Amino acid sequence: MKILVCISKAPDTTSKIAFKDNNTAFDENGVQFIVNPYDEWYALVRAIELKEAQGGSVTTITVGGADNDPIIRKALAIGADDAIRVDMDAKDAFQVANEIALQAKEGGYDLVLCGKETINNNGGVIGGMLAELMDAPYVPLATKLEVNGSTAEITRDIPGGEEVLNAELPLVISAAKGMAEQRIPNMRGIMAARSKALNVVAPSGTEANTEVKSYALPPAKGDCTFIDAENPEELIKKLHEEAKVI
Amino acid sequence: MSVLVFVDHQNGKASKASLEAVGYAKKVADQLGTDLAAISYAGINADGGIGAYGANRLHVASNVSVPDSGQLAKAVEAAASAEGADVVIFSHDDLGKAVAPRVAVRLKAGLVTGVTSMPGDGLEVTKNVFSGKAKAMVSYKTDKKVISILPNAFGMMPNETTTEVKEFSPEVGSAGITVKEVNTTASDGEIPLPEADLVVSAGRGMKGPEHWGIIEDLAKELGAATACSRPVSDIGWRPHHEHVGQTGVAIRPTLYIAVGISGAIQHLAGVNGSKVIVVVNKDPEAPFFKAADYGIVGDAFEVVPKLTAALKSFKANH
Ligand SMILES: Cc1cc2nc3c(=O)[nH]c(=O)nc-3n(C[C@H](O)[C@H](O)[C@H](O)COP(=O)(O)OP(=O)(O)OC[C@H]3O[C@@H](n4cnc5c(N)ncnc54)[C@H](O)[C@@H]3O)c2cc1C
Ligand SMILES: Nc1ncnc2c1ncn2[C@@H]1O[C@H](COP(=O)(O)O)[C@@H](O)[C@H]1O
């Protein structure tokens, strides 16, 4: 089974969020970048588990500049076999999906995995776009994934429970929590990653469909009103009369 | 040139998130000086209740019975073309996340998801980014536009109309997925977390799963859903679907009560859209108090039962 995993770069979850150039760009100053958690913990690890159990290969793909190489090396250290980087500074999800779809079609992958969403763009759209461009079934927010020959069994949460779906490969999945456990790369993996192939390819030149005009930070919350622990009636009263939420 | 809105349904009725999207779409239609058409699929009963939110017409793809994103995208495209719709609106719920990106590709439309504002004059919209730690204003470069709104960001906007229901059978090919089984564990009356207006949440401060009774009692008294921090679901004290935060569910209820949760930045990322936040924590230095509207410094095991009792007597008098 040939598996393609979409890997993106995201600011560390504790990063201070600030903007520059008149609030038109994210200020990367002092920010640590990580592999987007959903891509790494769930999509990538599940792909590697499937390969370990059934054979095949795991390739990662990233659309972005050379500044992505450290996170790609981490994915290789965790256990991906090789990597593709489409060398472009994408402006929106459609551009990213288009580039990945081109590579996915060319490579003839059976399974394409991406994360539920990036923690910086919070789009959650790449998987669906990819599936449409590849004319493949798509199941977002999968919490479990099993593959049996050419059929996949996917579990996902629904309100108050879960559902189990079947779909034929080739298939696109977005991975949510539950699909796998985080893996910490070991020394051998890190050494091996150095000699694995990271293939840089040129972009096809699709245009973006949307454009971020500006960013803003939310207004700071007002000061917290403290209520005496012995007097919870006061809280109920305030929630009713002042906040008007009960 | 109508506006088109996608409607999902459960037990024959439009889902709450879809009704919110219909209300939003009606406003967009008014803004553009046009009317509102909706698209749904087999299983919706009559208009599913969307007439009360302003939809003039409902197209039902009677040949689509499972919510397969590939078939639904083709059905939406067919309805958009029949209506001449250049603006298509979704709720950014589980099904919207599957269908909207496919529709955007088919229509060659720009797509913005998790939208939190009404569109501006050029239909630019605002969405949360960096897991709610910032907002982005996004504009479209395409003539056709797909807007997917963040659930619970707008609330319900009733607008009484009569909806004309039309069944059709668009060309949709075969379904890519089949549903093997559906297991619901929720007992009757349990409120699904993403839709809840009131949420009581607890963290590692509860010390163990056996202590959740007081949290459930408070939630029950309030009519609230329950949630938890990530470590709590990771160690199996609570089910995974209750985990809120950056890597769990993002919610924006009107009231969020957090008990024994420290308020780590990753937790806040999933709840900072809440209208009012109440924090109960025995540590006055807990970071959560900085994000709270109301705080009680105290031991959860004493404060929570008292709060439940106070709520009970409040309800008796109101
Ligand atoms: C990449 C990444 C993603 C993450 N995503 C998430 C996420 O989505 N959601 C999430 O929640 N976390 C997430 N985390 C974890 C997060 O950083 C915190 O570790 C976690 O939220 C802490 O959970 P907690 O507040 O329940 O526990 P703790 O941090 O242990 O806090 C327990 C709190 O309970 C208080 N307490 C103790 N006893 C009592 C008592 N008797 N009465 C009242 N208060 C008491 C303590 O003062 C303390 O403030 C993520 C971490 C990383 C690195
Ligand atoms: N630049 C990128 N390169 C490769 N994969 C990406 C990129 N951006 C997003 N993805 C994948 O698409 C998923 C959803 O991203 P998004 O739609 O931006 O929330 C992520 O979890 C990744 O798996």
Side-chain angles (χ1 to χ4, degrees):
Chain A
M1 186 171 28
K2 282 188 78 177
I3 310 177
L4 185 67
V5 185
C6 305
I7 298 287
S8 60
K9 183 183 88 162
D12 176 78
T13 55
T14 53
S15 302
K16 181 170 157 40
I17 306 302
F19 301 100
K20 59 178 188 185
D21 301 342
N22 231 342
N23 288 329
T24 57
F26 177 56
D27 186 355
E28 300 190 351
N29 202 352
V31 171
Q32 277 271 91
F33 284 92
I34 58 172
V35 187
N36 187 48
Y38 297 106
D39 310 356
E40 178 193 326
W41 303 355
Y42 309 134
L44 176 63
V45 175
R46 187 62 194 141
I48 294 168
E49 287 171 357
L50 286 170
K51 181 193 88 167
E52 286 168 352
Q54 309 187 0
S57 64
V58 175
T59 301
T60 68
I61 183 161
T62 303
V63 179
D67 52 334
N68 285 275
D69 289 352
I71 65 117
I72 297 172
R73 289 285 171 210
K74 175 157 187 210
L76 292 171
I78 292 171
D81 298 295
D82 56 2
I84 303 170
R85 179 166 64 76
V86 182
D87 192 19
M88 80 180 293
D89 183 14
K91 297 289 179 227
D92 83 343
F94 180 66
Q95 276 184 310
V96 173
N98 231 325
E99 297 302 334
I100 297 176
L102 287 174
Q103 298 298 325
K105 283 191 244 178
E106 203 175 290
Y109 296 93
D110 304 296
L111 194 59
V112 180
L113 292 172
C114 57
K116 165 178 127 166
E117 61 181 39
T118 51
I119 62 169
N120 44 346
N121 297 325
N122 303 114
V125 304
I126 306 264
M129 287 184 170
L130 257 175
E132 191 60 37
L133 291 163
M134 295 171 63
D135 195 18
Y138 174 51
V139 182
L141 308 168
T143 55
K144 283 191 203 121
L145 170 66
E146 299 294 339
V147 180
N148 246 317
S150 66
T151 310
E153 181 170 299
I154 308 115
T155 306
R156 61 199 300 254
D157 288 346
I158 53 170
E162 53 180 39
E163 64 179 6
V164 183
L165 308 172
N166 286 129
E168 292 296 308
L169 306 183
L171 169 71
V172 182
I173 297 279
S174 95
K177 180 181 171 182
M179 192 177 268
E181 296 287 332
Q182 186 179 9
R183 278 194 191 183
I184 311 291
N186 57 25
M187 209 51 211
R188 233 179 75 223
I190 295 168
M191 297 300 286
R194 291 189 188 155
S195 55
K196 289 178 179 171
L198 196 173
N199 301 306
V200 179
V201 300
S204 71
T206 1
E207 296 288 321
N209 286 340
T210 59
E211 183 182 14
V212 174
K213 289 286 182 193
S214 63
Y215 291 99
L217 294 172
K221 270 250 173 200
D223 283 341
C224 177
T225 306
F226 282 95
I227 286 147
D228 183 6
E230 295 303 320
N231 191 11
E233 291 79 13
E234 178 67 16
L235 176 64
I236 304 290
K237 195 169 154 220
K238 285 204 149 51
L239 290 177
H240 179 62
E241 290 172 5
E242 194 175 273
K244 300 193 170 53
V245 290
I246 59 170
Chain B
M1 201 220 89
S2 309
V3 167
L4 182 68
V5 60
F6 177 77
V7 172
D8 189 14
H9 56 75
Q10 277 127 27
N11 307 320
K13 286 194 282 204
S15 68
K16 185 184 166 210
S18 294
L19 292 177
E20 188 182 18
V22 174
Y24 177 92
K26 169 67 181 161
K27 291 220 153 153
V28 176
D30 287 348
Q31 189 177 329
L32 297 174
T34 179
D35 65 358
L36 178 63
I39 163 84
S40 192
Y41 60 99
I44 191 163
N45 186 3
D47 76 352
I50 65 173
Y53 293 83
N56 303 95
R57 286 176 299 291
L58 170 65
H59 301 269
V60 180
S62 52
N63 55 339
V64 179
S65 51
V66 284
D68 174 65
S69 59
Q71 288 189 318
L72 287 171
K74 292 187 180 115
V76 174
E77 182 188 25
S81 126
E83 290 283 351
D86 285 347
V87 177
V88 183
I89 292 171
F90 285 85
S91 171
H92 194 45
D93 60 3
D94 288 2
L95 188 57
K97 284 176 187 173
V99 182
R102 302 191 82 129
V103 169
V105 168
R106 297 194 75 81
L107 296 180
K108 300 190 168 52
L111 166 64
V112 185
T113 58
V115 167
T116 57
S117 72
M118 293 307 300
D121 291 340
L123 290 193
E124 64 279 6
V125 287
T126 301
K127 72 166 296 201
N128 286 346
V129 288
F130 296 99
S131 304
K133 288 178 239 170
K135 288 183 174 295
M137 202 216 275
V138 189
S139 69
Y140 290 90
K141 298 173 136 187
T142 47
D143 294 335
K144 294 186 180 171
K145 298 161 179 83
V146 181
I147 301 175
S148 180
I149 64 166
L150 192 69
N152 291 339
F154 298 93
M156 308 310 262
M157 298 182 261
N159 204 321
E160 201 60 53
T161 333
T162 317
T163 307
E164 180 196 348
V165 180
K166 302 179 173 184
E167 293 206 351
F168 76 134
S169 293
E171 204 49 67
V172 293
S174 53
I177 57 162
T178 50
V179 179
K180 190 177 166 215
E181 58 190 70
V182 174
N183 309 311
T184 42
T185 48
S187 48
D188 279 345
E190 204 174 298
I191 302 157
L193 185 57
E195 296 197 350
D197 278 336
L198 308 173
V199 175
V200 179
S201 184
R204 213 145 50 176
M206 296 308 294
K207 311 283 190 287
E210 66 278 15
H211 297 136
W212 243 263
I214 56 171
I215 299 299
E216 282 167 351
D217 289 346
L218 175 59
K220 212 163 153 219
E221 199 58 44
L222 258 178
T226 49
C228 67
S229 67
R230 190 177 98 192
V232 161
S233 72
D234 279 354
I235 40 184
W237 292 359
R238 298 297 293 175
H240 279 309
H241 63 79
E242 283 197 358
H243 157 202
V244 292
Q246 184 138 43
T247 45
V249 196
I251 54 172
R252 25 189 318 125
T254 50
L255 175 63
Y256 183 72
I257 302 184
V259 181
I261 301 178
S262 56
I265 192 159
Q266 297 96 350
H267 184 85
L268 295 180
V271 303
N272 55 13
S274 311
K275 191 164 164 246
V276 172
I277 295 179
V278 173
V279 169
V280 178
N281 198 302
K282 70 172 185 190
D283 173 12
E285 302 291 316
F288 219 148
F289 286 119
K290 290 205 176 67
D293 299 279
Y294 300 100
I296 296 184
V297 178
D299 185 340
F301 298 100
E302 290 165 21
V303 173
V304 174
K306 279 190 198 152
L307 196 55
T308 309
L311 187 63
K312 236 184 210 140
S313 56
F314 166 82
K315 277 169 65 184
N317 299 322
H318 280 79

